[in-house]
Amino acid sequence: LRAPAFRDRVLAGGPALESTFDADALRFATAAAHETASRIVPEIVLPAAPPGNEGGFPQGVVLTFPGQGAWDPRLLREVLRFDATARPILRRANAVSRRILGDELLHDGPEADLALSGNPDLGQVASYLTSVLAARYLLTFGIEPCVLLGHSFGELAALTIGGALDPETGVEIACHRVKALQDRQDPPGGMLAVLCDEQRAGELVEAGPSLEVSAVNHSMQTVISGTREDLERLAGVLEKNQIKSVRLGSRYPFHCELLREAADSFGGAIRNL
């Protein structure tokens, strides 16, 4: 399997591939194999148009907007490289961020220097902006999504692309979210993805008074939120029981009662937006 490379196998085609993968998978793989550089192009992001819809996009396209844990600055760099209309939105977002948080969201230099400033919480705003700009770019190709699906913080981007908010208002909401979180007085917290079902996770939260089941990603992955101290205690319990877990890149215990005060503050700040 080491040689030839899988990319070369895909381009060569043949009955072995055709008996293993369906036609859609092969079309996707062939398009990806032809790419020599990182690009955002509809033929890679979307499946090929089905028979009878040549020249157009398939019906039933769904745009999904991930939560902040999935943010990757490389995607924002790519959108800015391909879409000239994205730069003005980024500059207006910087102005909003300066006004509310006293800090610039991203450095908008000529080389697309998108290194975040010293405030790691601004990654939340960057996550929102990345989803919105990427979706705007795809829509210019004539995509007409039937559903806009936001997961957790991604709901804000879905609302924006759906027309409920303009991008600047969305940035303002994201900034107020950051400010509400920064103002909370609770001890440091976080989130832990645990490879077990919800019932077992409900038993595990007994390891610490702040722990809560905060999300069920699927039948065998449950997220637990709480203070950093309680999560560390829980990690020890998991290790003893040989249950695998992954610490999420979150500085806050989202989807958890510990953020009640921050949620109330956030709601008051955005009530008129």
Side-chain angles (χ1 to χ4, degrees), residues 34 56 62 90 114 127 173 200 261 268:
H34 279 296
V62 175
L90 174 61
L114 300 174
S127 169
I173 291 173
R200 183 73 176 104
E261 184 179 332

Side-chain angles (χ1 to χ4, degrees), residues 180-205:
L181 289 167
Q182 290 177 338
D183 289 344
R184 65 188 283 271
Q185 301 300 314
D186 297 320
M191 306 176 79
L192 197 68
V194 183
L195 297 186
C196 69
D197 59 30
E198 183 180 5
Q199 180 177 348
R200 183 73 176 104
E203 298 167 356
L204 291 167
V205 297

